[in-house]
Amino acid sequence: TQHIIVSVSGDSALEPNETFKVRLSNPVVAAITDGEGVGTITNDDVTISINDVSVAEGNAPSTASLTFKVTLSAASSQPVSVTYATADGTATVPSDYAAASGTLTFNPGETSKTIQVGVVADLAIEQDETLSVTISGATGATIANGSATGTIRNDDTQVPVTVGAYKGIIEGNALFLDVVDR
């Protein structure tokens, strides 16, 4: 038995597994019964992704946060880093959420980190609002999913009330009254 060693040039490109063939020819004092072997180079490159999240807005003074999870497809033997930043959608800074930006660093063996985005609670009845978090500039990994949507779900309601000659609604903790026509 003899071994044939084929060197592989590593890269950081996100790609499918690759194959190559080794062919035997011109035997001396032997016959070749199976003259071809297939080698497979398994892609081991690490990818990084961020997930969509949603949270109920809450009422002041309580606070809520959108917790975005950033994950690696596999643990890396080298540090991996990526920058992140929030951007307005229908939710805007500073009335709906606190802007966030920075760098996440995954130490060897780590596969998960989180990004916290603070939500500004209010009593306004409004549509659900969205913002985005984008990851970019990755080192040591390829970005597979680089943008996530955060949804701030409205949890405020109107409650109809009648008080004597008045009718109205309670919006959050505020009472809005109209005179009832008698």
Side-chain angles (χ1 to χ4, degrees):
T1 301
Q2 293 293 319
H3 296 278
I4 298 173
I5 298 173
V6 177
S7 297
V8 175
S9 298
D11 62 31
S12 60
L14 183 58
E15 57 197 0
N17 293 342
E18 299 168 305
T19 60
F20 63 93
K21 295 179 182 180
V22 175
R23 291 193 177 112
L24 300 176
S25 62
N26 302 324
V28 176
V29 193
I32 298 174
T33 57
D34 182 5
E36 187 172 274
V38 176
T40 301
I41 302 169
T42 305
N43 184 43
D44 62 353
D45 300 313
V46 175
T47 62
I48 190 168
S49 299
I50 185 169
N51 71 316
D52 296 336
V53 295
S54 68
V55 67
E57 177 183 66
N59 295 318
S62 68
T63 58
S65 291
L66 291 159
T67 303
F68 294 87
K69 189 173 182 180
V70 181
T71 55
L72 298 180
S73 59
S76 176
S77 60
Q78 301 295 317
V80 172
S81 66
V82 67
T83 59
Y84 66 90
T86 56
D88 290 353
T90 55
T92 59
V93 171
S95 61
D96 298 311
Y97 73 98
S101 62
T103 301
L104 295 177
T105 300
F106 295 80
N107 292 318
E110 292 181 326
T111 58
S112 179
K113 296 281 184 179
T114 58
I115 299 169
Q116 298 287 326
V117 177
V119 172
V120 177
D122 63 31
L123 300 173
I125 298 172
E126 56 198 351
Q127 296 294 316
D128 292 349
E129 298 169 309
T130 61
L131 60 107
S132 63
V133 177
T134 303
I135 58 174
S136 61
T139 59
T142 302
I143 296 175
N145 178 22
S147 184
T149 300
T151 302
I152 303 169
R153 294 187 319 271
N154 178 63
D155 59 358
D156 300 305
T157 59
Q158 292 182 342
V159 178
V161 294
T162 302
V163 179
Y166 300 94
K167 72 175 182 176
I169 57 167
I170 296 175
E171 187 173 302
N173 291 330
L175 174 61
F176 299 94
L177 297 174
D178 292 322
V179 175
V180 175
D181 194 16
R182 289 189 170 205

